[in-house]
Amino acid sequence: MRDPLLCPLDHHGDAETGDGLLDFAVNVFPDARPAWLDEALHAAIGEVAAYPEATRARQAIADAHGRPVDEVLPTAGAAEAFTLVARARPWRRPAVVHPQFTEPHSALLAAGHEVTTVATRPEDGFALDVAAVPDDADLVVVGNPTNPTGVLHPAERLRDLLRPGRVVVVDEAFMDVVPDEPESLLTDRAAGLVVLRSLTKHWSIPGIRAGYLVGHPALVADLARHQTPWSVSTPALAAIEACLTPRALAESLARAVALGTWRDHLARGLAARDVEQVVSAASFVLARPGAGARQALRDRGIAVRRADTFPGLDDSWVRIAVRPPDLADRLLLALDELG
């Protein structure tokens, strides 16, 4: 396990794109926003003369997941939630399961905490080993499905992390890619559990920082006290409402099914070329084409996400965003050229 402090934790996929490159680095759904979402966003512009009011969005979250309103909180994407968690309490031993999205680790460091890294291993398929988490960890952060591995951890295994005096934060930013979300903990009301969601990737609105968290009311209140007033903009609140309607949830499932089909095509192509990969339930695949492959693909006009910024991975790994088969075939042909 590489020292997380030696990894550039603030590196993200958007830094890989540009210069006319074919984008396999950013995990945003590669299609236009639905008309109903654009309509909601445009209508929200008419309300920006007033300060944001989150009441309707909170109710929409509560209704969608069968939770009381005091158990939900809109956030400016999942990233804001990580900062709220980091600042909420004087954590004695926060632990982050790696490799995973680096923002929670970075937020904890920025808040002055010393972070314990819990390593998952490629030889185990990056599966979570609950026994590897220190008994005295009072905060545990884990992604499900995990970015960048795409591993979907069983809900029961995540529940095994819960214990008195510990808060478990499950980042479900990519759970909407999983049809019917069987391993989601959004409706689990365990006292020490916080679940985070993001709407930016699945609905192609990363510029609209829209997300939310759910948890025990005392925990939600702790987090809300550290939230900057009006941090979630009026358009973001409108997006939350729009993306949680029955119509939106049906379209979300259709997007998830399409992504699964595209992912299977990519995985078959990688397997045919004997490229090591991790079985993924997300909108990306972690693959191991070897050191130098990322730059070689870039030289051929294709951007993939470097993986050596994730603790536990080196430069032989890359994360490949799922794209429609015609685009995936261009990536696969470029891999053929690498020999």
Side-chain angles (χ1 to χ4, degrees):
M1 169 65 67
R2 295 164 65 233
D3 185 344
L5 295 179
L6 300 179
C7 299
L9 297 175
D10 58 352
H11 182 88
H12 300 296
D14 57 342
E16 308 277 359
T17 61
D19 300 324
L21 296 170
L22 182 58
D23 179 12
F24 284 86
V26 176
N27 298 315
V28 173
F29 190 86
D31 205 350
R33 294 180 301 277
W36 50 261
L37 179 52
D38 269 355
E39 290 168 5
L41 293 172
H42 292 156
I45 297 300
E47 302 176 16
V48 297
Y51 285 94
E53 169 52 58
T55 301
R56 295 199 310 266
R58 291 190 78 165
Q59 190 64 59
I61 299 165
D63 290 346
H65 304 304
R67 308 285 296 240
V69 171
D70 64 354
E71 294 183 0
V72 309
L73 182 69
T75 59
E80 183 192 27
F82 294 130
T83 297
L84 299 181
V85 169
R87 296 175 178 175
R89 294 181 181 176
W91 306 109
R92 298 184 308 278
R93 191 174 186 183
V96 178
V97 178
H98 280 296
Q100 79 147 9
F101 186 51
T102 52
E103 279 301 312
H105 197 128
S106 182
L108 285 162
L109 292 176
H113 301 292
E114 182 177 342
V115 183
T116 295
T117 294
V118 178
T120 59
R121 306 187 307 168
E123 54 266 37
D124 298 328
F126 295 103
L128 171 65
D129 179 5
V130 173
V133 177
D135 288 338
D136 62 345
D138 56 344
L139 172 68
V140 181
V141 184
V142 59
N144 202 38
T146 301
N147 175 13
T149 65
V151 171
L152 182 65
H153 304 293
E156 281 306 313
R157 189 171 301 166
L158 296 175
R159 290 190 184 98
D160 287 342
L161 291 169
L162 293 164
R163 59 195 59 192
R166 173 185 288 176
V167 172
V168 176
V169 176
V170 181
D171 174 14
E172 293 190 357
F174 291 97
M175 186 63 79
D176 43 18
V177 176
V178 183
D180 300 323
E181 304 183 4
E183 307 302 336
S184 175
L185 293 175
L186 272 174
T187 60
D188 193 312
R189 300 180 69 190
L193 179 66
V194 177
V195 180
L196 313 182
R197 296 298 286 255
S198 170
L199 300 173
T200 61
K201 305 293 200 311
H202 203 51
W203 295 112
S204 310
I205 52 171
I208 302 290
R209 307 305 303 148
Y212 56 91
L213 60 85
V214 304
H216 186 275
L219 268 174
V220 171
D222 278 351
L223 297 171
R225 277 193 289 272
H226 289 81
Q227 190 172 38
T228 301
W230 311 295
S231 67
V232 187
S233 70
T234 297
L237 293 168
I240 292 171
E241 287 187 71
C243 292
L244 292 175
T245 65
R247 173 176 62 175
L249 295 176
E251 187 162 340
S252 176
L253 176 59
R255 286 187 169 216
V257 170
L259 282 166
T261 300
W262 301 345
R263 185 181 60 240
D264 290 346
H265 179 85
L266 173 62
R268 286 194 300 270
L270 293 172
R273 290 157 176 82
D274 295 321
V275 175
E276 181 182 349
Q277 61 185 297
V278 182
V279 176
S280 174
S283 53
F284 45 81
V285 173
L286 182 65
R288 199 173 197 176
R294 171 182 160 272
Q295 185 59 51
L297 288 170
R298 193 174 186 85
D299 293 342
R300 289 163 174 78
I302 295 175
V304 293
R305 191 352 178 141
R306 63 183 285 197
D308 61 338
T309 64
F310 296 101
L313 300 177
D314 59 29
D315 63 358
S316 67
W317 296 90
V318 296
R319 191 192 67 193
I320 305 171
V322 169
R323 297 290 186 256
D326 60 324
L327 296 181
D329 286 344
R330 292 173 61 181
L331 169 72
L332 295 169
L333 288 173
L335 287 173
D336 289 337
E337 295 175 5
L338 303 188

